[in-house]
Amino acid sequence: MKCNHCNTQLQIHRETGVTFTENIEKLAKTTQNLTDQIAKLTAQQKVADLDRNWELEQQNFMITGKHGNKRLPDSTGAAIGGVVVTVFGLFWTIMAFGITSNSPFGGAGIFPFFGILFIGFGIFSAFSTHQKAGEYQRAKSKYNRQRTEMRRQVEQHGETR
């Protein structure tokens, strides 16, 4: 039913012993507001789920330091760590050759090979940490793109009200 005076649309409800009217426009507006709120909450929940999953995924990229501390990898740290270990390996090798070359037992002995092992470990460690840092940066960029897109959707749902 529509009022000819104010154009309000009313729906007539008839139940046992009672008849009443309800403003359809108000009901439609309330329904639309609830729909918008649910859409916004759903979008916000997706962002929260993405954030929670990223926190868990970051654990896969963690590297353990020499004292057992876990941290995220970075290329600069990989390069510095690799150089330090490699330089130590070179120093060890040179010193071991110098010390064992005058050995009464003859030959260079086994000690210089420990230095070569340090050098190999330093190079391997630097490259593997650098690779892991690159994988982490790619995953973080993907996460940031997804999060930005989801936040934009949340803001759009807020504007539709």
Side-chain angles (χ1 to χ4, degrees):
M1 176 173 95
K2 182 176 182 181
C3 176
N4 290 335
H5 177 68
C6 67
N7 291 326
T8 300
Q9 293 182 355
L10 300 173
Q11 183 176 6
I12 300 173
H13 293 278
R14 291 189 180 133
E15 295 180 11
T16 307
V18 149
T19 302
F20 61 94
T21 60
E22 187 174 16
N23 186 337
I24 293 176
E25 291 170 4
K26 184 177 178 184
L27 182 61
K29 191 180 221 181
T30 301
T31 302
Q32 184 59 48
N33 284 343
L34 288 173
T35 302
D36 290 345
Q37 287 176 7
I38 289 170
K40 184 175 182 177
L41 288 172
T42 301
Q44 287 174 338
Q45 184 61 44
K46 287 180 181 179
V47 172
D49 290 344
L50 179 70
D51 290 344
R52 220 176 356 270
N53 289 338
W54 174 243
E55 288 295 321
L56 293 173
E57 187 178 350
Q58 280 185 19
Q59 299 302 314
N60 296 331
F61 294 104
M62 293 285 205
I63 56 175
T64 305
K66 68 179 185 177
H67 298 294
N69 299 335
K70 291 194 175 248
R71 63 179 175 83
L72 291 169
D74 67 295
S75 294
T76 305
I80 292 170
V83 167
V84 167
V85 173
T86 303
V87 167
F88 175 76
L90 284 170
F91 174 75
W92 178 286
T93 303
I94 292 168
M95 294 303 288
F97 270 123
I99 292 171
T100 59
S101 66
N102 296 329
S103 172
F105 302 109
I110 196 167
F111 292 109
F113 294 111
F114 287 117
I116 293 170
L117 287 175
F118 277 114
I119 293 169
F121 177 75
I123 292 169
F124 171 78
S125 176
F127 279 115
S128 68
T129 303
H130 176 73
Q131 182 180 6
K132 199 166 196 175
E135 291 171 4
Y136 169 72
Q137 287 302 323
R138 285 187 291 280
K140 185 176 181 182
S141 294
K142 179 182 174 186
Y143 159 74
N144 285 333
R145 282 192 308 273
Q146 288 176 328
R147 192 172 198 291
T148 299
E149 177 61 25
M150 287 181 173
R151 292 298 302 164
R152 189 180 61 75
Q153 290 174 1
V154 168
E155 290 170 8
Q156 284 177 345
H157 285 297
E159 293 171 3
T160 58
R161 282 181 160 197

